[in-house]
Every structure is written in C-alpha cells, then in structure tokens.
Amino acid sequence: MYKYDVIIIGGGVSGAAAARELSRYKVNVCVLEKEEDVCCKTSKANSGIVHAGYDAPTGSLKAKMNLRGNELMESLAEELDIPFIRNGSLVVCRSKEDMPRLEALCERGVSNGVKGLRILSREEALQREPNLSEEIYAALYAPTGGIVCPFELNIALAENANVNGVEFHFCTEVTGITKQGKGYRLVTSRGVYFAEYVVNAAGVYADLFHNMVSEQKIHITARRGDYCLLDKSAGNHVRSTIFTLPGKFGKGILVAPTAHGNLILGPTAIDVQDKEGTNTTREGLDQVLLKAGLNVKKLPMRQVITSFAGLRAHEDGDEFIIGELEDAPGFIDCAGIESPGLTGCPAIGERIAGILRERMGLCEKEDFVSTRKGILKPETLSREARAALIRKKPAYGNIICRCEMITEGEILDAIRRPLGAKSLDGVKRRTRAGMGRCQSGFCSPRTMEILAREWRMDIREVTKSGGASYLIAGTNKDVF
C-alpha cells in the first residue's frame, strides 16, 4: 500500500494548481492521474480565456475564484514563464432591446469587483475592433480580460509542484474509495493507496468519487464544447476576445486570438451522456461557424486548420463545489469546475491549500522554489545568441516541425524536463510541434524517432496519447 498525507485525484489545471500550492508546505503529496500525462482531458480542450469576472452571480464561489484568479494570473505567468496577454474582452450587444441585459451584466461585474468596465457605443466598439459585425449596437468592454496557453499553464503548475516534491503517478485510475480509520483507502489500477486527506479534482468524474464517500449526492453533466482553430495568418482578425451576451448555457460562441497567435472560435454547449465523448459533430461545428459570424464579419474560414471538442464538468447547481465534506472529514471536493475554472485555478489552488493548511497545521518550507523556466525558444534569441547556442548544442539548429519552427533541442528539453513528454501529444503540448498548419503531417515521424531514442523503446511502442494509441500498426517491408 502506498501512503501519503494528501492524495489529489486528477492532473488537470485544478489538481495541478492545488498540488503547486500544497508544495509550499512540509507535507507528503501525491497526484493520481488516469492518463499518461497531465492536461489530457478538460484542461487541454478549452479556449484559454482569462475571464474578467462579470458573468457569475455576485457572491458566488465562481465569481470569487474568477476575480482572484484573474488578479493572480499575471504574476503567476511571470513566475512560471508562460505566455499571458491582457488583451481585454468585448461582450457584443446587437440590438437596442438587449441593452438592459448588457447594462445588467456591467452592473454585476462592478458588484463582483471587476475593474475598468464600461459600455462602448457602436462607433467606439468598431474603432477598437473594425471586424465586428455591422449590426452591433453596443459592447461591454473589460480591460482586465486576457488569454493564456492552457497547456503551458497546466504543465507549468505540475512541473513546479513536482520540483517541490509532489509525486505524480500516471496511468493510475482510481476505481474505489472507502473510509478507513483516520483516512481513505483508494483502490487504483496500479495498487492500493492510503491518505488521511483526499482532494477530488476529477473533472467530469468528480461526482462519482464524491458519491462514494458522501450521503449528500451531487450530479455532474458532461457538457461538450466544439471549437475551430484557425491558422496564425488569421490571428490578427480581432485583438480582443469577442463574446456574445451570455445565455442559459453560458457565454456562447467566442472569437479570440490565442496566446500563440492563432484565432479560435467556440465553444458550443451540448450536454452529453458519455463522459469520454469528445468527438466533434457536424451539428456542433455548424453552430460554431454560424454564431461566430453573427458578431465578427469576414471570418477567414479557409484558414481553419483543425477542430476539436472538450467536456466541461457542469454541476446541477451551476456552481463550483470547493470544500471539505461535512459527512466525510478529510475529503475535499474540487468539483463542478467549468468556466471560469481555468481563470480561477490559481485561486482554487490557494483555497484548497488553505483548507488543508488549517486542518493539518502545515508549516511552510524554507526551500520552496516559486519559479520555473520554460522550454528555451531559439526564435526569441538574437541572431548572434542563436548561433552561439547552435554551436554549443547543435540540436537547436535541427528543425523538426517546419510549421512552428520547433527544433530537436526543444523536443529533447520537453522529454528530459520534470514530468517529461512520453507521447506525441505530450511533445505537442509542451513545444507546439505538430500544432501548425499541416497538423503534424511532416514532423510526426521525426518526433517519434526522438521519443523512441530518448525513452529507449521500439518506435512501434510510441503512442499519440498513451494507452493503446499506437501510430504504427506494422511494417510494409517485413523480412521473412
């Protein structure tokens, strides 16, 4: 049996944020993740928006975590060396009849503590964003809105936690939890674990684990969001994040630049029964294209390079559930974390660590390392510095991904760093190799060769995303 003080179920952005905050203290922490890497489920498939905080009801946990997370994001991005841009956001109102809803949204934002909110006239909005629809009537401008890379945020939080002592056990699926003595016994696909405290950050499966230990049941619906991603040539079509007025199912279809210069459209909000149902549908993508075009004109749809879908964990009460269960002491929920969960993750991590600090009487470490250095990007160096780097480390002169100009040196760094990449998707999320216009058509074989060499495996064992996602089914020149 593996024993820890605290076990966190889930290596998404909430679990990783909690792990990073707990790594400040003298406590033995482990993260159990059923996939082969962090950032493999909800956290990998979202828009990367840092919301200003005007949507959630005043006083709600969503509103509080949103505002605090937004405030923390800039300093966190600097500490963890990840891209963050405060590009601002606009909520588009397309008719005079909808103005009371826009004004109510602005008033709610002010009540929530959002700074700088103001309503722009049609002319002011078009001056800021010339590609807005001609039918625009007014817009709510939020200067504190921003964009971040969701992969890099999740990975950076996990890496920093790992450097500070948190263990990550991958391909370890939790199948059962029972109360045992002063703690909890967790049965997994790789043995039995025990911890006095458990943090349930299991995304769409958080209700399953909650209901194993509590009589106060919760229910989470998997809400699918379809997206389209456009090439970097379309990245300047808008500067701000463009929202429509929120409705019953959330903020609607947005149009936004990404932290890496692409343009993203989405998501839909379609409730599904299958908690693994991340397939896109014609219906969903048609919704994205139609509704994105209502707010932004001349969208260059010929520049779409990929589409994808992700699942959000929608709890029936439409609220974050973060706290220790009354009838299950030591079990801390981090459930129902849908939008604005990515924005709120620094505050969510703070809150969970705060609960455990008080319950366990934790003391801070003297040697906590708050900073983390990201993968070196040769393109950011001067010509002289880049030449010197290549002379010292020739791998940085070998281009593997032509679309994103990613070098062998960057891929080696992604594999060799803490919690290093073990699959094509692991390399892609850490370096962007395979995220360009050809969508890994050119670089996959070469990246696979590097992975096989570094992990000392047969190239036929290399996977797209762990498990049985092998890319080579056989050879076409077998020797008998």
Side-chain angles (χ1 to χ4, degrees):
M1 182 184 291
Y2 304 97
K3 293 185 177 181
Y4 294 87
D5 298 325
V6 180
I7 288 176
I8 299 170
I9 305 173
V13 73
S14 296
R20 196 248 182 178
E21 285 301 313
L22 282 169
S23 73
R24 297 176 182 272
Y25 302 98
K26 297 175 183 178
V27 60
N28 191 14
V29 181
C30 170
V31 175
L32 302 182
E33 169 54 57
K34 73 173 183 175
E35 303 298 331
E36 57 95 29
D37 199 355
V38 297
C39 197
C40 284
K41 291 296 184 180
T42 296
S43 298
K44 77 176 174 63
N46 68 65
S47 51
I49 303 303
V50 176
H51 294 281
Y54 44 72
D55 292 291
T58 301
S60 67
L61 200 51
K62 279 187 176 182
K64 293 173 183 176
M65 295 297 98
N66 189 341
L67 187 67
R68 177 64 176 159
N70 183 294
E71 292 171 347
L72 291 171
M73 193 63 73
E74 194 160 355
S75 59
L76 180 67
E78 187 174 343
E79 284 186 335
L80 299 182
D81 193 26
I82 61 172
F84 169 66
I85 304 166
R86 208 174 281 285
N87 65 322
S89 63
L90 291 174
V91 181
V92 172
C93 175
R94 300 177 69 244
S95 70
K96 185 176 181 179
E97 290 71 28
D98 282 334
M99 278 302 293
R101 292 172 57 206
L102 191 73
E103 290 164 352
L105 194 64
C106 183
E107 290 170 6
R108 182 190 302 166
V110 172
S111 297
N112 288 352
V114 181
K115 298 177 182 177
L117 287 175
R118 65 188 183 97
I119 292 179
L120 305 183
S121 66
R122 178 180 185 278
E123 291 71 25
E124 289 174 318
L126 287 171
Q127 185 175 13
R128 180 172 178 82
E129 293 290 351
N131 283 321
L132 287 177
S133 167
E134 296 294 338
E135 296 179 22
I136 183 174
Y137 184 82
L140 175 62
Y141 173 55
T144 58
I147 49 178
V148 71
C149 175
F151 321 120
E152 291 190 58
L153 174 58
N154 197 160
I155 291 166
L157 287 165
E159 284 183 2
N160 191 231
N162 182 239
V163 165
N164 283 294
V166 176
E167 294 182 20
F168 284 75
H169 294 194
F170 296 110
C171 302
T172 306
E173 181 177 4
V174 178
T175 57
I177 306 175
T178 54
K179 190 81 172 74
Q180 182 174 302
K182 294 183 178 180
Y184 292 87
R185 182 177 184 267
L186 287 76
V187 178
T188 80
S189 57
R190 293 200 169 187
V192 176
Y193 289 72
F194 178 84
E196 188 173 351
Y197 293 88
V198 173
V199 176
N200 173 25
V204 294
Y205 292 101
D207 57 346
L208 175 67
F209 298 125
H210 170 104
N211 295 341
M212 286 181 182
V213 301
S214 176
E215 292 301 318
Q216 305 299 317
K217 307 303 182 184
I218 64 171
H219 177 256
I220 288 174
T221 301
R223 181 162 287 176
R224 194 186 79 229
D226 303 77
Y227 293 88
C228 289
L229 185 71
L230 280 66
D231 188 58
K232 289 183 177 179
S233 60
N236 292 324
H237 198 72
V238 294
R239 293 181 300 157
S240 311
T241 301
I242 311 300
F243 294 106
T244 191
L245 272 169
K248 178 182 177 182
F249 291 97
K251 305 173 186 69
I253 304 299
L254 62 82
V255 178
T258 71
H260 293 287
N262 295 84
L263 190 72
I264 193 166
L265 317 178
T268 53
I270 301 170
D271 291 346
V272 297
Q273 295 298 315
D274 183 4
K275 292 193 176 187
E276 298 291 328
T278 57
N279 55 299
T280 56
T281 65
R282 176 63 181 268
E283 172 198 12
L285 295 177
D286 282 349
Q287 270 192 51
V288 171
L289 302 183
L290 173 65
K291 293 182 179 179
L294 294 177
N295 292 330
V296 179
K297 64 185 180 184
K298 299 179 181 177
L299 283 168
M301 300 313 300
R302 289 179 179 270
Q303 302 304 315
V304 172
I305 58 175
T306 191
S307 59
F308 61 93
L311 301 178
R312 288 104 78 186
H314 178 72
E315 193 273 326
D316 288 353
D318 196 21
E319 174 64 303
F320 292 168
I321 301 174
I322 304 172
E324 187 174 17
L325 304 190
E326 289 184 5
D327 62 346
F331 192 95
I332 292 91
D333 262 338
C334 179
I337 311 298
E338 56 182 340
S339 181
L342 186 76
T343 308
C345 76
I348 292 169
E350 265 190 347
R351 190 177 184 89
I352 291 170
I355 292 169
L356 289 167
R357 182 184 64 241
E358 292 183 12
R359 288 285 278 112
M360 303 174 74
L362 300 179
C363 299
E364 290 192 22
K365 296 174 180 175
E366 295 80 13
D367 58 351
F368 173 71
V369 180
S370 64
T371 58
R372 166 260 189 196
K373 190 66 179 172
I375 292 172
L376 172 64
K377 302 181 188 304
E379 64 185 29
T380 64
L381 303 176
S382 67
R383 181 177 295 182
E384 294 76 14
R386 188 168 187 172
L389 173 67
I390 293 170
R391 283 195 296 270
K392 186 177 180 181
K393 298 180 178 181
Y396 283 100
N398 181 19
I399 299 293
I400 300 298
C401 173
R402 292 179 178 178
C403 296
E404 296 288 323
M405 296 300 287
I406 306 301
T407 65
E408 181 182 3
E410 292 164 86
I411 294 173
L412 290 174
D413 189 353
I415 295 170
R416 294 172 181 175
R417 62 180 28 242
L419 306 180
K422 300 180 286 292
S423 65
L424 276 183
D425 279 358
V427 170
K428 178 171 70 173
R429 293 186 195 118
R430 287 165 174 80
T431 67
R432 294 188 60 77
M435 283 194 179
R437 190 172 186 89
C438 87
Q439 287 291 287
S440 77
F442 174 79
C443 63
S444 283
R446 302 179 73 190
T447 304
M448 290 172 66
E449 290 171 2
I450 296 169
L451 280 163
R453 185 185 72 215
E454 287 297 302
W455 288 108
R456 297 182 181 180
M457 65 173 77
D458 189 294
I459 195 167
R460 288 172 292 188
E461 298 176 53
V462 176
T463 65
K464 180 183 184 295
S465 56
S469 61
Y470 301 106
L471 292 114
I472 296 178
T475 59
N476 59 5
K477 292 185 179 180
D478 290 325
V479 177
F480 296 96

